[in-house]
């Protein structure tokens, strides 16, 4: 059974999660919801990365076209972001300094699922349970094409 606060509930050790209207190529305004992934037996972490599909762009969470990631504190991502708690390369050790602006990222936005200001997408792990991917878009910012939203692949990692 899905937890109470989950808008969508995914099962299985691997899969993908898309923003609403991703296939339509346009991120929707006024969104605030949580996608939950059931923790499968024997798994303690979940790795997230951009989908390998290239059209539409698998991660474009900004009102202005951008190829760089925006991450960290919510003030870096005021109009739209995804929330995955405590991301790092393995979900245990902190992100590398000076590339990252904090030890673990939870808020991701911009044009790449990447460390703040970088254009190379990463695979990042969260070990915080329950496994969630939250979505926020504000009510007033005009999110016009090519703001596609996200198409994220997940793979649960063994304990």
């Amino acid at each position: 059974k899905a937890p109470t606060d989950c808008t969508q509930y995914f099962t299985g050790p691997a899969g993908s999660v898309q923003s609403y209207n991703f296939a339509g190529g346009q991120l929707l305004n006024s969104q605030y919801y949580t996608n939950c992934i059931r923790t499968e037996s024997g798994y303690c972490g979940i790795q997230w990365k951009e989908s390998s599909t290239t059209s539409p762009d698998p991660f474009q969470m900004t009102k202005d076209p951008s190829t760089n990631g925006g991450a960290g504190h919510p003030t870096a991502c005021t109009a739209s972001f995804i929330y995955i708690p405590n991301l790092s390369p393995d979900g245990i050790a902190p992100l590398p300094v000076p590339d990252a602006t904090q030890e673990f990222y939870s808020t991701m936005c911009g044009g790449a699922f990447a460390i703040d200001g970088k254009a190379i997408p990463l695979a990042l792990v969260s070990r915080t349970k329950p496994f969630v991917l939250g979505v926020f878009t504000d009510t007033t910012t005009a999110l016009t094409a090519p703001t596609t939203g996200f198409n994220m692949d997940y793979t649960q990692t063994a304990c």
Side-chain angles (χ1 to χ4, degrees):
K1 180 180 175 194
T4 305
D5 295 336
C6 299
T7 303
Q8 295 187 88
Y9 188 56
F10 297 86
T11 61
S16 64
V17 180
Q18 296 180 350
S19 55
Y20 289 131
N21 199 42
F22 177 78
Q26 181 60 55
L27 182 62
L28 302 175
N29 279 94
S30 303
Q31 302 293 296
Y32 183 63
Y33 62 92
T34 302
N35 299 289
C36 299
I37 296 84
R38 181 179 68 196
T39 304
E40 301 297 341
S41 179
Y43 293 92
C44 292
I46 187 166
Q47 179 188 71
W48 291 96
K49 63 181 182 175
E50 290 182 17
S51 173
S52 59
T53 61
T54 57
S55 182
D57 185 335
F59 196 87
Q60 192 58 248
M61 294 289 293
T62 180
K63 65 179 179 147
D64 302 313
S66 172
T67 56
N68 291 344
H73 195 274
T75 58
C77 308
T78 56
S80 60
F81 61 84
I82 62 172
Y83 172 83
I84 304 167
N86 300 318
L87 290 166
S88 76
D90 64 1
I92 300 169
L95 289 157
V97 174
D99 288 336
T101 57
Q102 60 192 59
E103 291 185 339
F104 294 89
Y105 283 159
S106 295
T107 304
M108 305 293 283
C109 62
F113 187 74
I115 291 176
D116 198 25
K118 307 294 184 203
I120 299 169
L122 299 173
L124 296 172
V125 175
S126 172
R127 292 188 177 273
T128 302
K129 295 177 186 172
F131 298 150
V132 298
L133 185 155
V135 181
F136 171 81
T137 60
D138 75 10
T139 59
T140 58
T141 303
L143 297 171
T144 57
T147 306
T148 55
F150 63 86
N151 183 5
M152 300 294 295
D153 291 339
Y154 70 85
T155 304
Q156 295 190 34
T157 59
C159 297

